[in-house]
Amino acid sequence: MFNINNINDELFGKVIVNPTRRELRDLSNHMETTTEFKSASYVSEVRNRSAKNTYIVDEIETGVDQMEITKAKADEIAAKVFEYINDKEMIRVDRKMGMNDKFSFNCRLYISKNYARIAHMWNNTLFNPTDTENPDLVSIYVPEWPERIMFAYPESGVTFILGSDYFGESKKSFLRMAMYKVKQAGGLGFHAGSKVLRVYDKNNNLKDVGFIMFGLSGTGKTTLTIHDHELTGEEKAIVRQDDVVFMDENGYCVGTENGFYIKTEGLNPDQQSVLYKAATSENAALENIKVDENGKVDFYDTSLTSNGRGVILREEIDTTDDTVDLEKANKIIFITRRNDIVPPVVKLDPKQALDAFMLGESIETSAGDPTKAGQSKRCVGTNPFIMGPEIEEGMKLKEILQNNPDMECFILNTGSVGAKENFEGEKLTIKVSTTIMKEIARDNIEWIKDDEWGYMVPVEVEGIDINKYNPRNYYTSEEYAKIANMLKLERKAWIAKYENSVMDEIAVTN
C-alpha cells in the first residue's frame, strides 16, 4: 500500500534511475524527428495544459479560482495508479530547482518509460541535483492513463499527472508546488521573468536595475525577458529567469530554472535573435513544431498547433550570467495585452499595484485555452498556478511594496491602442515595449497623473513618439467613455468573485 508521504522506487516494477541527458534522448528516439539543427523534435497528442482537469487536494483552503478534490477521492485514484504501475518500467529523474539554498527544492519526476521525451525535456529545465535521496517535491506522470486528471497534494509535495502527454504539465507541477512552499515560508512565488538592465541613468551614473515581468504565456513575457534592448558598450541586458521567481520580504528574487520553455510561433532571427539562436541549437528540444521529412523546421507553420514550444538551455542565451537570482526587483512590470484604451505604459502606487496583481488583465492564449485564444482574460497575478486563497498573495505583495518604497510598479501594454470597427489599433511593437523598459531603467520618463484613472502616464519617452500611442486620440469622448465604463464594470465583476475582505482592500481604480 502506498503512503503519499513516502513515494519511493519500491512502488514501481523497475526504475531507470537518473539517466544522463544523452541517455534520455536515446530513450526518446522512437518519438524523435531529428531537425536540420540536429536537435530533437517531438509531437504530443495533447498540445496545451489541461487547466480544467487540474485539482488541488482539500488538505488546504483552496482559492476562488481553483478546483478542489477531496483527499479521499485523490487517494482512491492514487491507489489505482500505483496498482497499475507496480509492475511497469518507469524513469526517475532527480533535479534541483534553484542554484543556492534559499527557496531551493529537490525535485523528483517518475514517468512511464515510453514517454522518456518528457523526462528529456524536463531534465533540461532544472539544475544538477545535490541530493538525490531526499526529494522535497515529487511528480508521478502516467500519460497513458485512461482519464485525464491532475491533482496536487500541497502539504505532501506530491502531484499526479494522468492522461496527458503535454510536457508543460510536468514543468508546472513542480513550479506550482514550489510556489506554495515558498508562500508557507514567508515569501512569494511569481509567474514572472527577471533580468537586469545595466544603464546610465539621467544623471549619467552607470547602475544595475532589476526587473521582474509578470505575464501570462504568450503575452510577450519571454521576448521582453530575453531582449537586449539594443544596449551596447557598458550598457547591457542580463537575463536571469524566464518563468518563475521567488521573492522574499526585501524584494530579493530567487531564480528557479536552468532552461527556458519558449513559444516558437513566428520565431525569427531579425526580431528575436537571442531566442532564435538558442532554439536552433542542437541542444534544444522542440515540441509540436512543424518539421518536414528532411528535418526542415518551420516556426511559422501552426498546422499542428499555435502553441509550438521549445526547451532551450539557459547557458545558450548570450545575455545570461552566472546566477539566476536578482538582488532586488527595483521595477515590477505587469504585462497586459489589450487593444483599446490601456496606454502603452502606466506607473502605479502600491495600492494600484495590488489592483493590477489581483485583476491580472491580459488575453487568453493558445497555451491556456486554445478555444478562447485572443479573448479578454483575467488571472490573479497572471499566475494560473496559485494554490490557496489568492488574496493572501496580493496582500503580501502590497506589504512588500510598502516596506520597500524604492520598488516601483508599472503596467506595460504589449497589444495595441485605439482598436475599433475597421481598425485593429496602433500596434505596440517589441521596439516600443523594450524602449519603454530601457527608459524606465534610466529613470528618464516624464510622468503626469491621469485624473480619470489615478495612475501616472508618460508625457515624453525618448526614442518614441508617445503621443502616437495615446488611446484618447483614437476615440471620440463618447466612444472612450463607453469603453472605459465597460472596463470598470468588468473589473468590479471580477473583484466581486472574491471575499468581502478583498473588497475592503481593493477599490477598483475609476
Side-chain angles (χ1 to χ4, degrees), residues 59-76:
E59 50 190 17
I60 65 167
E61 179 185 357
T62 52
V64 174
D65 298 318
Q66 298 150 37
M67 295 192 298
E68 184 178 270
I69 186 173
T70 65
K71 188 174 185 304
K73 180 63 176 177
D75 287 350
E76 178 185 341

Side-chain angles (χ1 to χ4, degrees), residues 86-147:
N86 68 5
D87 62 350
K88 298 294 187 297
E89 193 167 11
M90 306 287 284
I91 296 171
R92 178 187 124 191
V93 180
D94 292 285
R95 305 297 283 166
K96 181 182 179 182
M97 186 182 296
M99 294 182 73
N100 305 304
D101 292 334
K102 187 179 181 69
F103 296 150
S104 68
F105 300 90
N106 300 317
C107 302
R108 176 176 293 177
L109 173 69
Y110 288 105
I111 189 165
S112 307
K113 179 187 176 183
N114 194 48
Y115 292 87
R117 63 174 171 81
I118 295 173
H120 172 221
M121 295 176 72
W122 182 73
N123 178 81
N124 291 355
T125 66
L126 297 183
F127 296 91
N128 291 331
T130 54
D131 182 354
T132 60
E133 300 303 318
N134 300 288
D136 300 303
L137 311 175
V138 176
S139 289
I140 298 152
Y141 201 159
V142 185
E144 71 270 26
W145 193 254
E147 177 188 8

Side-chain angles (χ1 to χ4, degrees), residues 4 22 28 31 73 77 89 110 114 122 145 178 191 234 252 260 272 284 304-305 364 390 400 462 466 485:
I4 200 66
R22 180 71 251 182
S28 311
M31 290 188 170
K73 180 63 176 177
I77 298 171
E89 193 167 11
Y110 288 105
N114 194 48
W122 182 73
W145 193 254
H191 180 221
E234 290 185 284
Y252 186 96
F260 296 161
Q272 298 157 297
L304 288 175
T305 176
E364 183 61 87
E390 296 88 352
I400 292 172
E462 187 170 331
I466 200 65
N485 290 335

Side-chain angles (χ1 to χ4, degrees), residues 35 86 181 289 329 346 348 419 428 502 507:
T35 74
N86 68 5
K181 297 296 185 184
I289 298 166
V346 302
L348 310 170
L428 294 163
V502 181

Side-chain angles (χ1 to χ4, degrees), residues 289-387:
I289 298 166
K290 193 68 174 180
V291 181
D292 71 17
E293 63 274 10
N294 298 314
K296 182 71 174 176
V297 178
D298 188 346
F299 291 122
Y300 284 89
D301 188 329
T302 58
S303 57
L304 288 175
T305 176
S306 58
N307 190 34
R309 293 278 186 160
V311 172
I312 60 177
L313 300 183
R314 183 179 178 274
E315 64 200 49
E316 295 189 344
I317 300 292
D318 292 338
T319 51
T320 57
D321 60 8
D322 60 357
T323 180
V324 295
D325 297 345
L326 194 68
E327 286 296 324
K328 190 152 196 175
N330 305 110
K331 314 293 182 183
I332 296 177
I333 306 291
F334 297 98
I335 302 170
T336 190
R337 183 164 285 182
R338 293 187 64 89
N339 298 317
D340 44 36
I341 64 171
V342 176
V345 64
V346 302
K347 187 176 181 180
L348 310 170
D349 63 28
K351 176 62 181 63
Q352 293 164 344
L354 172 61
D355 293 352
F357 181 89
M358 294 302 297
L359 288 166
E361 291 181 332
S362 195
I363 59 168
E364 183 61 87
T365 73
S366 53
D369 185 347
T371 65
K372 297 181 180 179
Q375 296 181 20
S376 184
K377 177 177 181 177
R378 292 179 175 86
C379 177
V380 174
T382 63
N383 181 7
F385 313 107
I386 292 173
M387 292 199 289

Side-chain angles (χ1 to χ4, degrees), residues 142-289:
V142 185
E144 71 270 26
W145 193 254
E147 177 188 8
R148 189 183 305 179
I149 185 171
M150 297 79 187
F151 52 96
Y153 291 83
E155 298 302 327
S156 306
V158 176
T159 304
F160 284 79
I161 308 165
L162 309 174
S164 170
D165 65 342
Y166 180 62
F167 161 72
E169 298 289 2
S170 61
K171 171 181 156 68
K172 292 302 185 185
S173 70
F174 291 98
L175 293 170
R176 177 193 295 114
M177 194 67 73
M179 284 191 279
Y180 175 74
K181 297 296 185 184
V182 167
K183 181 168 60 174
Q184 297 304 100
L188 275 178
F190 293 137
H191 180 221
S194 60
K195 72 190 304 179
V196 171
L197 293 187
R198 182 171 294 161
V199 296
Y200 283 101
D201 66 15
K202 62 184 179 182
N203 297 317
N204 207 35
N205 297 315
L206 188 65
K207 63 180 182 180
D208 284 357
V209 182
F211 280 78
I212 63 170
M213 289 76 65
F214 289 84
L216 288 169
S217 298
T219 55
K221 177 172 61 68
T222 295
T223 297
L224 292 177
T225 298
I226 295 177
H227 204 280
D228 62 10
H229 298 261
E230 300 180 354
L231 294 169
T232 59
E234 290 185 284
E235 294 190 312
K236 64 191 300 186
I238 307 166
V239 178
R240 293 288 162 81
Q241 280 292 273
D242 170 51
D243 199 21
V244 169
V245 297
F246 303 140
M247 181 186 285
D248 71 9
E249 66 277 7
N250 299 312
Y252 186 96
C253 291
V254 175
T256 54
E257 296 183 290
N258 196 34
F260 296 161
Y261 187 43
I262 65 170
K263 278 182 66 70
T264 57
E265 180 183 354
L267 190 63
N268 68 78
D270 296 326
Q271 285 194 313
Q272 298 157 297
S273 58
V274 177
L275 278 180
Y276 185 86
K277 181 180 177 182
T280 54
S281 161
E282 67 177 300
N283 295 314
L286 306 182
E287 178 186 51
N288 299 325
I289 298 166

